[in-house]
mmCIF file of all heavy atoms in Angstrom:
data_model
loop_
_atom_site.group_PDB
_atom_site.id
_atom_site.type_symbol
_atom_site.label_atom_id
_atom_site.label_comp_id
_atom_site.label_asym_id
_atom_site.label_seq_id
_atom_site.Cartn_x
_atom_site.Cartn_y
_atom_site.Cartn_z
ATOM 1 N N LEU W 31 -42.533 143.539 262.991
ATOM 2 C CA LEU W 31 -42.620 144.384 261.932
ATOM 3 C C LEU W 31 -44.019 144.377 261.320
ATOM 4 O O LEU W 31 -44.694 145.359 261.043
ATOM 5 C CB LEU W 31 -41.610 144.008 260.843
ATOM 6 C CG LEU W 31 -41.547 144.717 259.560
ATOM 7 C CD1 LEU W 31 -41.282 146.177 259.836
ATOM 8 C CD2 LEU W 31 -40.561 144.238 258.584
ATOM 9 N N ALA W 32 -44.608 143.092 261.305
ATOM 10 C CA ALA W 32 -46.015 142.951 260.803
ATOM 11 C C ALA W 32 -46.939 143.830 261.746
ATOM 12 O O ALA W 32 -47.839 144.491 261.284
ATOM 13 C CB ALA W 32 -46.392 141.493 260.779
ATOM 14 N N TRP W 33 -46.689 143.729 263.096
ATOM 15 C CA TRP W 33 -47.553 144.354 264.059
ATOM 16 C C TRP W 33 -47.390 145.871 263.769
ATOM 17 O O TRP W 33 -48.448 146.538 263.710
ATOM 18 C CB TRP W 33 -47.072 144.083 265.408
ATOM 19 C CG TRP W 33 -47.971 144.722 266.539
ATOM 20 C CD1 TRP W 33 -49.044 144.160 267.100
ATOM 21 C CD2 TRP W 33 -47.903 146.058 266.987
ATOM 22 N NE1 TRP W 33 -49.706 145.021 267.887
ATOM 23 C CE2 TRP W 33 -48.977 146.275 267.837
ATOM 24 C CE3 TRP W 33 -46.953 147.168 266.728
ATOM 25 C CZ2 TRP W 33 -49.173 147.402 268.543
ATOM 26 C CZ3 TRP W 33 -47.179 148.194 267.483
ATOM 27 C CH2 TRP W 33 -48.298 148.404 268.374
ATOM 28 N N PHE W 34 -46.256 146.359 263.669
ATOM 29 C CA PHE W 34 -46.001 147.766 263.421
ATOM 30 C C PHE W 34 -46.681 148.272 262.124
ATOM 31 O O PHE W 34 -47.471 149.263 262.050
ATOM 32 C CB PHE W 34 -44.574 148.083 263.328
ATOM 33 C CG PHE W 34 -44.134 149.569 263.225
ATOM 34 C CD1 PHE W 34 -44.215 150.552 264.487
ATOM 35 C CD2 PHE W 34 -43.834 150.117 262.072
ATOM 36 C CE1 PHE W 34 -43.953 151.790 264.251
ATOM 37 C CE2 PHE W 34 -43.572 151.470 261.862
ATOM 38 C CZ PHE W 34 -43.674 152.377 262.966
ATOM 39 N N ASN W 35 -46.560 147.388 261.068
ATOM 40 C CA ASN W 35 -47.235 147.770 259.799
ATOM 41 C C ASN W 35 -48.646 147.855 259.959
ATOM 42 O O ASN W 35 -49.365 148.869 259.462
ATOM 43 C CB ASN W 35 -46.704 146.851 258.732
ATOM 44 C CG ASN W 35 -45.416 147.311 257.974
ATOM 45 O OD1 ASN W 35 -45.213 148.466 257.889
ATOM 46 N ND2 ASN W 35 -44.706 146.395 257.432
ATOM 47 N N ASN W 36 -49.253 146.964 260.577
ATOM 48 C CA ASN W 36 -50.743 146.846 260.568
ATOM 49 C C ASN W 36 -51.368 147.774 261.589
ATOM 50 O O ASN W 36 -52.435 148.084 261.431
ATOM 51 C CB ASN W 36 -51.165 145.346 260.902
ATOM 52 C CG ASN W 36 -50.793 144.417 259.893
ATOM 53 O OD1 ASN W 36 -50.716 144.807 258.689
ATOM 54 N ND2 ASN W 36 -50.653 143.205 260.203
ATOM 55 N N ASN W 37 -50.611 148.159 262.579
ATOM 56 C CA ASN W 37 -51.256 149.014 263.719
ATOM 57 C C ASN W 37 -50.710 150.331 263.663
ATOM 58 O O ASN W 37 -51.316 151.160 264.378
ATOM 59 C CB ASN W 37 -50.996 148.313 265.144
ATOM 60 C CG ASN W 37 -51.715 147.020 265.172
ATOM 61 O OD1 ASN W 37 -52.998 146.951 265.174
ATOM 62 N ND2 ASN W 37 -50.996 145.897 265.228
ATOM 63 N N VAL W 38 -49.612 150.701 263.137
ATOM 64 C CA VAL W 38 -49.063 151.918 263.129
ATOM 65 C C VAL W 38 -48.836 152.545 261.625
ATOM 66 O O VAL W 38 -49.646 153.488 261.280
ATOM 67 C CB VAL W 38 -47.779 152.074 264.003
ATOM 68 C CG1 VAL W 38 -47.260 153.560 263.948
ATOM 69 C CG2 VAL W 38 -47.937 151.575 265.307
ATOM 70 N N ALA W 39 -47.918 152.065 260.985
ATOM 71 C CA ALA W 39 -47.589 152.606 259.693
ATOM 72 C C ALA W 39 -48.675 152.826 258.773
ATOM 73 O O ALA W 39 -49.042 153.766 258.311
ATOM 74 C CB ALA W 39 -46.408 151.858 259.051
ATOM 75 N N ASN W 40 -49.337 151.550 258.471
ATOM 76 C CA ASN W 40 -50.451 151.600 257.482
ATOM 77 C C ASN W 40 -51.644 152.510 257.983
ATOM 78 O O ASN W 40 -52.120 153.348 257.219
ATOM 79 C CB ASN W 40 -50.951 150.183 257.181
ATOM 80 C CG ASN W 40 -51.717 150.207 255.953
ATOM 81 O OD1 ASN W 40 -51.582 151.053 255.045
ATOM 82 N ND2 ASN W 40 -52.667 149.345 255.833
ATOM 83 N N PRO W 41 -52.106 152.344 259.282
ATOM 84 C CA PRO W 41 -53.211 153.224 259.649
ATOM 85 C C PRO W 41 -52.891 154.819 259.512
ATOM 86 O O PRO W 41 -53.763 155.407 259.060
ATOM 87 C CB PRO W 41 -53.421 152.809 261.081
ATOM 88 C CG PRO W 41 -52.873 151.516 261.151
ATOM 89 C CD PRO W 41 -51.791 151.384 260.277
ATOM 90 N N VAL W 42 -51.695 155.087 260.081
ATOM 91 C CA VAL W 42 -51.463 156.591 259.905
ATOM 92 C C VAL W 42 -51.347 157.069 258.440
ATOM 93 O O VAL W 42 -51.906 157.976 258.139
ATOM 94 C CB VAL W 42 -50.022 156.883 260.614
ATOM 95 C CG1 VAL W 42 -49.580 158.344 260.336
ATOM 96 C CG2 VAL W 42 -50.159 156.535 262.064
ATOM 97 N N GLY W 43 -50.757 156.187 257.550
ATOM 98 C CA GLY W 43 -50.690 156.485 256.168
ATOM 99 C C GLY W 43 -52.076 156.584 255.681
ATOM 100 O O GLY W 43 -52.509 157.418 254.828
ATOM 101 N N GLN W 44 -52.995 155.647 255.950
ATOM 102 C CA GLN W 44 -54.266 155.527 255.276
ATOM 103 C C GLN W 44 -55.171 156.767 255.813
ATOM 104 O O GLN W 44 -55.896 157.317 255.047
ATOM 105 C CB GLN W 44 -55.038 154.275 255.721
ATOM 106 C CG GLN W 44 -54.488 153.038 255.077
ATOM 107 C CD GLN W 44 -54.638 153.135 253.491
ATOM 108 O OE1 GLN W 44 -55.702 153.713 253.040
ATOM 109 N NE2 GLN W 44 -53.632 152.754 252.850
ATOM 110 N N VAL W 45 -54.947 157.197 257.109
ATOM 111 C CA VAL W 45 -55.737 158.420 257.583
ATOM 112 C C VAL W 45 -55.297 159.631 256.749
ATOM 113 O O VAL W 45 -56.220 160.389 256.238
ATOM 114 C CB VAL W 45 -55.357 158.600 259.054
ATOM 115 C CG1 VAL W 45 -56.067 159.961 259.516
ATOM 116 C CG2 VAL W 45 -56.181 157.516 259.903
ATOM 117 N N PHE W 46 -54.048 159.858 256.493
ATOM 118 C CA PHE W 46 -53.628 160.874 255.637
ATOM 119 C C PHE W 46 -54.178 160.806 254.291
ATOM 120 O O PHE W 46 -54.784 161.818 253.759
ATOM 121 C CB PHE W 46 -52.073 160.991 255.622
ATOM 122 C CG PHE W 46 -51.419 161.830 254.681
ATOM 123 C CD1 PHE W 46 -51.635 163.136 254.651
ATOM 124 C CD2 PHE W 46 -50.592 161.287 253.583
ATOM 125 C CE1 PHE W 46 -51.064 163.980 253.800
ATOM 126 C CE2 PHE W 46 -50.004 162.123 252.698
ATOM 127 C CZ PHE W 46 -50.299 163.615 252.780
ATOM 128 N N LEU W 47 -54.045 159.603 253.669
ATOM 129 C CA LEU W 47 -54.636 159.345 252.338
ATOM 130 C C LEU W 47 -56.099 159.740 252.232
ATOM 131 O O LEU W 47 -56.483 160.422 251.350
ATOM 132 C CB LEU W 47 -54.260 158.009 251.961
ATOM 133 C CG LEU W 47 -54.318 157.564 250.527
ATOM 134 C CD1 LEU W 47 -53.298 158.225 249.738
ATOM 135 C CD2 LEU W 47 -54.176 156.105 250.441
ATOM 136 N N ARG W 48 -56.821 159.197 253.266
ATOM 137 C CA ARG W 48 -58.278 159.397 253.188
ATOM 138 C C ARG W 48 -58.666 160.859 253.431
ATOM 139 O O ARG W 48 -59.622 161.315 252.886
ATOM 140 C CB ARG W 48 -58.909 158.587 254.242
ATOM 141 C CG ARG W 48 -58.966 157.061 253.773
ATOM 142 C CD ARG W 48 -59.338 156.256 254.972
ATOM 143 N NE ARG W 48 -59.338 154.827 254.582
ATOM 144 C CZ ARG W 48 -60.360 153.958 254.645
ATOM 145 N NH1 ARG W 48 -61.512 154.430 255.165
ATOM 146 N NH2 ARG W 48 -60.211 152.679 254.215
ATOM 147 N N LEU W 205 -50.703 166.572 258.984
ATOM 148 C CA LEU W 205 -50.466 165.145 259.274
ATOM 149 C C LEU W 205 -49.519 164.580 258.257
ATOM 150 O O LEU W 205 -48.966 163.476 258.377
ATOM 151 C CB LEU W 205 -51.726 164.488 259.135
ATOM 152 C CG LEU W 205 -52.027 163.105 259.699
ATOM 153 C CD1 LEU W 205 -51.891 163.109 261.236
ATOM 154 C CD2 LEU W 205 -53.341 162.495 259.304
ATOM 155 N N TYR W 208 -46.132 162.572 258.977
ATOM 156 C CA TYR W 208 -46.288 161.261 259.561
ATOM 157 C C TYR W 208 -46.941 160.205 258.612
ATOM 158 O O TYR W 208 -46.657 159.147 258.447
ATOM 159 C CB TYR W 208 -47.138 161.386 260.823
ATOM 160 C CG TYR W 208 -46.640 162.442 261.746
ATOM 161 C CD1 TYR W 208 -47.231 163.744 261.747
ATOM 162 C CD2 TYR W 208 -45.447 162.308 262.479
ATOM 163 C CE1 TYR W 208 -46.672 164.770 262.415
ATOM 164 C CE2 TYR W 208 -45.015 163.436 263.344
ATOM 165 C CZ TYR W 208 -45.732 164.583 263.176
ATOM 166 O OH TYR W 208 -45.085 165.691 263.951
ATOM 167 N N GLY W 209 -47.943 160.780 257.935
ATOM 168 C CA GLY W 209 -48.635 159.945 256.899
ATOM 169 C C GLY W 209 -47.711 159.476 255.815
ATOM 170 O O GLY W 209 -47.799 158.251 255.392
ATOM 171 N N VAL W 210 -46.853 160.390 255.318
ATOM 172 C CA VAL W 210 -45.897 160.019 254.329
ATOM 173 C C VAL W 210 -44.919 159.049 254.836
ATOM 174 O O VAL W 210 -44.570 157.979 254.163
ATOM 175 C CB VAL W 210 -45.111 161.310 253.891
ATOM 176 C CG1 VAL W 210 -43.902 160.928 252.981
ATOM 177 C CG2 VAL W 210 -46.000 162.166 252.971
ATOM 178 N N PHE W 211 -44.473 159.202 256.052
ATOM 179 C CA PHE W 211 -43.624 158.246 256.655
ATOM 180 C C PHE W 211 -44.299 156.907 256.736
ATOM 181 O O PHE W 211 -43.729 155.883 256.328
ATOM 182 C CB PHE W 211 -43.205 158.673 258.134
ATOM 183 C CG PHE W 211 -42.391 157.625 258.856
ATOM 184 C CD1 PHE W 211 -41.005 157.786 258.857
ATOM 185 C CD2 PHE W 211 -42.992 156.470 259.528
ATOM 186 C CE1 PHE W 211 -40.217 156.756 259.540
ATOM 187 C CE2 PHE W 211 -42.135 155.558 260.129
ATOM 188 C CZ PHE W 211 -40.806 155.629 260.156
ATOM 189 N N GLY W 212 -45.555 156.826 257.134
ATOM 190 C CA GLY W 212 -46.265 155.542 257.318
ATOM 191 C C GLY W 212 -46.418 154.887 255.932
ATOM 192 O O GLY W 212 -46.126 153.698 255.809
ATOM 193 N N LEU W 213 -46.821 155.683 254.924
ATOM 194 C CA LEU W 213 -47.102 155.092 253.654
ATOM 195 C C LEU W 213 -45.824 154.432 253.031
ATOM 196 O O LEU W 213 -45.720 153.401 252.515
ATOM 197 C CB LEU W 213 -47.638 156.092 252.596
ATOM 198 C CG LEU W 213 -49.007 156.619 252.880
ATOM 199 C CD1 LEU W 213 -49.395 157.829 251.977
ATOM 200 C CD2 LEU W 213 -50.036 155.445 252.636
ATOM 201 N N ILE W 214 -44.653 155.240 253.147
ATOM 202 C CA ILE W 214 -43.352 154.777 252.532
ATOM 203 C C ILE W 214 -42.853 153.668 253.278
ATOM 204 O O ILE W 214 -42.394 152.672 252.707
ATOM 205 C CB ILE W 214 -42.374 155.981 252.491
ATOM 206 C CG1 ILE W 214 -42.915 157.065 251.472
ATOM 207 C CG2 ILE W 214 -41.071 155.517 252.069
ATOM 208 C CD1 ILE W 214 -42.946 156.725 250.053
ATOM 209 N N PHE W 215 -43.016 153.656 254.657
ATOM 210 C CA PHE W 215 -42.469 152.584 255.483
ATOM 211 C C PHE W 215 -43.145 151.403 255.071
ATOM 212 O O PHE W 215 -42.534 150.197 254.814
ATOM 213 C CB PHE W 215 -42.608 152.932 256.925
ATOM 214 C CG PHE W 215 -42.000 151.844 257.810
ATOM 215 C CD1 PHE W 215 -40.773 152.018 258.367
ATOM 216 C CD2 PHE W 215 -42.712 150.722 258.220
ATOM 217 C CE1 PHE W 215 -40.144 150.980 259.118
ATOM 218 C CE2 PHE W 215 -42.154 149.743 259.053
ATOM 219 C CZ PHE W 215 -40.932 149.768 259.458
ATOM 220 N N TYR W 216 -44.472 151.397 255.002
ATOM 221 C CA TYR W 216 -45.321 150.243 254.795
ATOM 222 C C TYR W 216 -44.911 149.593 253.414
ATOM 223 O O TYR W 216 -44.829 148.412 253.290
ATOM 224 C CB TYR W 216 -46.791 150.672 254.874
ATOM 225 C CG TYR W 216 -47.773 149.552 254.609
ATOM 226 C CD1 TYR W 216 -48.042 148.642 255.618
ATOM 227 C CD2 TYR W 216 -48.492 149.454 253.395
ATOM 228 C CE1 TYR W 216 -48.838 147.655 255.423
ATOM 229 C CE2 TYR W 216 -49.347 148.412 253.180
ATOM 230 C CZ TYR W 216 -49.602 147.486 254.324
ATOM 231 O OH TYR W 216 -50.506 146.507 254.084
ATOM 232 N N THR W 217 -44.785 150.496 252.394
ATOM 233 C CA THR W 217 -44.530 149.962 251.067
ATOM 234 C C THR W 217 -42.977 149.328 250.912
ATOM 235 O O THR W 217 -42.871 148.225 250.516
ATOM 236 C CB THR W 217 -44.658 150.986 250.061
ATOM 237 O OG1 THR W 217 -45.770 151.697 250.171
ATOM 238 C CG2 THR W 217 -44.494 150.584 248.670
ATOM 239 N N THR W 218 -42.060 150.115 251.521
ATOM 240 C CA THR W 218 -40.724 149.586 251.310
ATOM 241 C C THR W 218 -40.416 148.414 252.225
ATOM 242 O O THR W 218 -39.611 147.488 251.822
ATOM 243 C CB THR W 218 -39.676 150.713 251.634
ATOM 244 O OG1 THR W 218 -40.012 151.400 252.901
ATOM 245 C CG2 THR W 218 -39.700 151.785 250.544
ATOM 246 N N SER W 219 -40.987 148.321 253.389
ATOM 247 C CA SER W 219 -40.632 147.115 254.205
ATOM 248 C C SER W 219 -41.317 145.879 253.760
ATOM 249 O O SER W 219 -40.903 144.750 254.096
ATOM 250 C CB SER W 219 -41.118 147.449 255.716
ATOM 251 O OG SER W 219 -42.489 147.558 255.759
ATOM 252 N N ARG W 220 -42.370 145.992 252.959
ATOM 253 C CA ARG W 220 -42.973 144.821 252.466
ATOM 254 C C ARG W 220 -42.729 144.474 250.990
ATOM 255 O O ARG W 220 -43.223 143.596 250.408
ATOM 256 C CB ARG W 220 -44.614 144.899 252.665
ATOM 257 C CG ARG W 220 -45.000 144.996 254.105
ATOM 258 C CD ARG W 220 -46.474 145.520 254.139
ATOM 259 N NE ARG W 220 -47.152 145.450 252.922
ATOM 260 C CZ ARG W 220 -48.209 144.592 252.580
ATOM 261 N NH1 ARG W 220 -48.628 143.922 253.580
ATOM 262 N NH2 ARG W 220 -48.775 144.635 251.424
ATOM 263 N N SER W 276 -45.513 159.554 247.452
ATOM 264 C CA SER W 276 -45.967 158.725 248.662
ATOM 265 C C SER W 276 -47.353 158.124 248.542
ATOM 266 O O SER W 276 -47.594 157.129 249.107
ATOM 267 C CB SER W 276 -45.674 159.441 249.954
ATOM 268 O OG SER W 276 -46.285 160.685 249.832
ATOM 269 N N ARG W 388 -45.701 148.678 242.355
ATOM 270 C CA ARG W 388 -45.912 149.697 243.298
ATOM 271 C C ARG W 388 -44.852 150.827 243.231
ATOM 272 O O ARG W 388 -45.104 151.968 243.205
ATOM 273 C CB ARG W 388 -45.934 149.197 244.753
ATOM 274 C CG ARG W 388 -46.264 150.164 245.752
ATOM 275 C CD ARG W 388 -47.608 150.799 245.599
ATOM 276 N NE ARG W 388 -47.846 151.906 246.452
ATOM 277 C CZ ARG W 388 -48.951 152.356 247.035
ATOM 278 N NH1 ARG W 388 -50.036 151.679 246.709
ATOM 279 N NH2 ARG W 388 -48.927 153.408 247.681
#
Side-chain angles (χ1 to χ4, degrees):
L31 182 58
W33 184 92
F34 183 78
N35 267 330
N36 293 334
N37 295 291
V38 183
N40 195 34
V42 172
Q44 288 301 319
V45 168
F46 168 60
L47 195 63
R48 283 165 184 240
L205 198 66
Y208 314 99
V210 166
F211 176 93
L213 289 173
I214 296 288
F215 183 92
Y216 182 73
T217 310
T218 49
S219 67
R220 293 164 19 112
S276 47
R388 182 63 192 215

